[in-house]
Amino acid sequence: MISAIVLAAGEGRRFGGTKQLEVVRGKPLVQHAVDAATGAGVDEIVVVLGHDAERVSAALTLPPSARVVVNQGYAEGQSTSLAEGLRALDPSSEAAVVLLADQPGIEARHIASLVTAYRDEEPDVLRIRFRDGPGPVMLACSVWPEAIALAGDTGARALFDADIVRVRWLAFDEDAPVDVDVRDDLERA
């Protein structure tokens, strides 16, 4: 079983509000990650909410294979949301794609490529590399205890920064999609 975790718990401090609710190309920003995971055919999707959880949850349209969990400790950093998402996965899950709610340009084809590459090689950590930067990551269940132990505003990148040898990169010959970090990014997204 392959899972997806959508990290959507942040306060949007740099953005100036709950960016997960901003409409980009006709739907809330967070919905893009859910739709990409759904289109890639992952077996389950866990959306981790925190700040403004009720409003963000109400704005989502989830497929039957998806559910929401709320990270009460979201203010302690992204690591807490990653841990919450990993703990919420089905026990039979063997790997999880980690998606950020502020990257509406990540598409089902990107995630499907991660799933295929993972099934072919089963690396501990598999990450997309665009021409100009990294993309989503897939974590095998063998590294989940390490990911759950992370602290602060550190995401899964701490795992591959610590041991680059165990990371397999999946190259895409295209520019990285826009991250929506500040309001000006909405126009580019």
Side-chain angles (χ1 to χ4, degrees), residues 49-101:
L49 303 179
H51 172 73
D52 223 354
E54 287 182 22
R55 287 182 58 219
V56 176
S57 181
L60 282 168
T61 301
L62 297 177
S65 63
R67 66 188 178 286
V68 166
V69 297
V70 177
N71 174 17
Q72 298 298 333
Y74 69 89
E76 296 173 32
Q78 190 179 80
S79 63
T80 64
S81 292
L82 177 61
E84 193 74 33
L86 289 169
R87 285 192 291 266
L89 295 177
D90 186 290
S92 65
S93 182
E94 61 191 89
V97 178
V98 180
L99 302 167
L100 302 178

Side-chain angles (χ1 to χ4, degrees), residues 2 27 37 51 53 63-64 69 80 82 102 109 112 119 123-124 143-145 161 167 171 177:
I2 302 292
K27 55 189 169 185
H51 172 73
V69 297
T80 64
L82 177 61
D102 64 357
R109 65 186 174 88
R119 287 190 171 136
D124 286 341
V143 299
W144 293 358
D161 287 348
V167 178

